[in-house]
Amino acid sequence: DDIGKTFARVLEAGLNASRQVDGADLKQKSADLREQALAVEEESKELFERLAMMKLERMHVTFNSEGVNFTSAEANQYLDGCGNATDEEVGLMERMMFSNSKVTVKKQIELFTQAELDYNFQLERKQRVDKEFDLRQRELKQAERDAQIAAEAEERAKQMLADAKQRVVQTRKTLSTASRSLREEVSHNVRTANADLKRAANGLQHKREAVRKAMKRRASTVENTVFKTSDGKVRLNPDLNKSAMNESERIETIKQLTQDEARAELEYVKLTERAKRLLSRSERLQIRSDELIGEQASNESDAMKP
């Protein structure tokens, strides 16, 4: 019996030592994964700052380019970046000027937003009218084909002349109805939709240009200042000085910055997801390590009991 008890104690001690080693190994792996996750997270933050800079740079060039459109959302984003300039490089008078002018620009952007909504509404309406117009055109063409078939049938089948004439009469009625409907109803709707869309487009362009002028003046004022984002400071690239570019160069620069934004956004999402996965693995290993160490402590306590 004593030998059996001794053997059991030795075996239990070996198992406890193995658990302790496994727990320590898992704890180290958890720490390594957490360190990797923190490194990836830091890299993603840096990329986020570069992405914010890319967007500001692209919009900075856009506001100085007459041939590139922009949305009210982009104008708001750029204005918010400009409005957060509180670095010591920006003097008190400049900050006061930014604060006063920001209200005016905000109102212009609000009008620009309404113009966008009106334009989108009229565009959808124009698309519905165009769809209806296409449908009526198909009906008209089908009626024309039916009329032609009926006329040819009259020539081919003299013995069915009466029936063929009836078909011709009926088909011509359909043709007349479709043609009249197309001329009177759909054509009027098309003209109205075209006029409304043109008015909305002019209004949209007018509001966009008003915002462009305001943002252009603002962009010129803050051209060399520091912008603030939610994750840090970014500074405009001095190579984007509007006076050093012609219109074609601005358009090409905007295209390049837009592509860089898309790549940076994709890389940012990948890095963020990788950091989450590493943190999750680290937490699972930490929990398993604690369980093993707890089991070992419990076994040691049981072994001490008489």
Side-chain angles (χ1 to χ4, degrees):
D1 291 341
D2 292 339
I3 294 175
K5 291 180 180 179
T6 301
F7 180 76
R9 291 194 187 96
V10 172
L11 181 60
E12 183 64 27
L15 291 175
N16 289 338
S18 177
R19 291 192 189 98
Q20 186 174 9
V21 171
D22 291 342
D25 184 54
L26 288 176
K27 186 178 288 293
Q28 182 60 44
K29 289 181 179 179
S30 173
D32 292 343
L33 285 174
R34 182 173 294 277
E35 184 177 352
Q36 292 180 37
L38 292 176
V40 173
E41 185 177 10
E42 183 63 27
E43 184 179 355
S44 71
K45 289 180 179 179
E46 294 176 358
L47 180 58
F48 182 81
E49 292 180 3
R50 293 199 303 272
L51 177 59
M53 186 66 258
M54 291 176 189
K55 291 182 178 180
L56 287 173
E57 288 177 342
R58 175 173 60 81
M59 292 309 303
H60 179 73
V61 180
T62 298
F63 294 136
N64 290 281
S65 176
E66 303 298 332
V68 180
N69 290 333
F70 58 91
T71 65
S72 59
E74 290 175 324
N76 268 319
Q77 184 179 18
Y78 184 84
L79 181 62
D80 291 341
C82 294
N84 289 328
T86 58
D87 196 82
E88 293 180 357
E89 299 178 18
V90 181
L92 176 60
M93 292 301 296
E94 284 183 296
R95 290 198 297 271
M96 292 176 63
M97 179 184 66
F98 295 159
S99 178
N100 293 333
S101 64
K102 185 174 182 178
V103 176
T104 301
V105 176
K106 274 287 186 183
K107 290 181 179 178
Q108 290 178 323
I109 293 176
E110 289 176 2
L111 295 175
F112 180 24
T113 302
Q114 291 300 319
E116 285 179 323
L117 293 174
D118 181 46
Y119 175 80
N120 291 334
F121 174 79
Q122 296 300 339
L123 179 60
E124 291 177 359
R125 181 175 174 228
K126 172 65 166 58
Q127 290 171 344
R128 290 195 301 270
V129 171
D130 286 344
K131 184 177 181 180
E132 182 182 0
F133 178 76
D134 291 340
L135 177 61
R136 296 299 176 84
Q137 277 191 320
R138 287 194 296 270
E139 291 177 352
L140 177 60
K141 290 181 179 178
Q142 183 63 46
E144 290 174 344
R145 287 193 294 269
D146 291 344
Q148 181 64 30
I149 292 172
E152 292 174 354
E154 183 182 19
E155 296 297 329
R156 290 195 306 266
K158 296 294 184 180
Q159 67 278 13
M160 300 176 65
L161 180 58
D163 293 339
K165 286 182 177 181
Q166 184 62 33
R167 288 182 61 196
V168 170
V169 170
Q170 186 60 41
T171 303
R172 285 174 178 172
K173 285 182 179 180
T174 304
L175 175 61
S176 176
T177 301
S179 179
R180 184 172 59 256
S181 176
L182 179 64
R183 288 194 306 269
E184 296 176 358
E185 297 178 15
V186 180
S187 296
H188 173 72
N189 291 339
V190 169
R191 289 193 301 271
T192 301
N194 286 334
D196 290 343
L197 179 62
K198 183 176 181 180
R199 177 188 58 77
N202 290 336
L204 174 63
Q205 187 63 23
H206 177 72
K207 301 303 181 184
R208 177 182 284 120
E209 293 307 316
V211 173
R212 187 194 303 279
K213 290 179 181 178
M215 300 303 289
K216 184 176 181 180
R217 289 194 298 271
R218 189 174 187 84
S220 176
T221 302
V222 300
E223 192 166 78
N224 296 313
T225 62
V226 173
F227 290 82
K228 295 285 186 177
T229 66
S230 59
D231 292 277
K233 294 187 288 187
V234 291
R235 189 185 302 275
L236 282 177
N237 188 339
D239 294 336
L240 297 178
N241 189 325
K242 65 178 185 302
S243 62
M245 296 187 200
N246 56 37
E247 180 66 12
S248 62
E249 289 174 335
R250 290 193 192 99
I251 294 175
E252 187 61 32
T253 300
I254 291 169
K255 291 180 180 178
Q256 184 60 48
L257 288 172
T258 301
Q259 294 174 358
D260 293 342
E261 278 183 45
R263 287 193 294 268
E265 286 178 345
L266 179 60
E267 184 64 22
Y268 172 73
V269 171
K270 290 181 179 178
L271 289 174
T272 301
E273 291 300 321
R274 184 184 173 195
K276 290 180 180 178
R277 290 195 299 272
L278 289 173
L279 283 173
S280 177
R281 289 178 59 192
S282 172
E283 291 172 357
R284 290 198 300 271
L285 289 176
Q286 180 65 42
I287 292 172
R288 181 54 183 160
S289 172
D290 293 342
E291 291 175 350
L292 289 174
I293 292 174
E295 290 176 3
Q296 186 225 345
S298 177
N299 291 332
E300 289 178 352
S301 177
D302 294 340
M304 295 293 293
K305 294 179 181 179

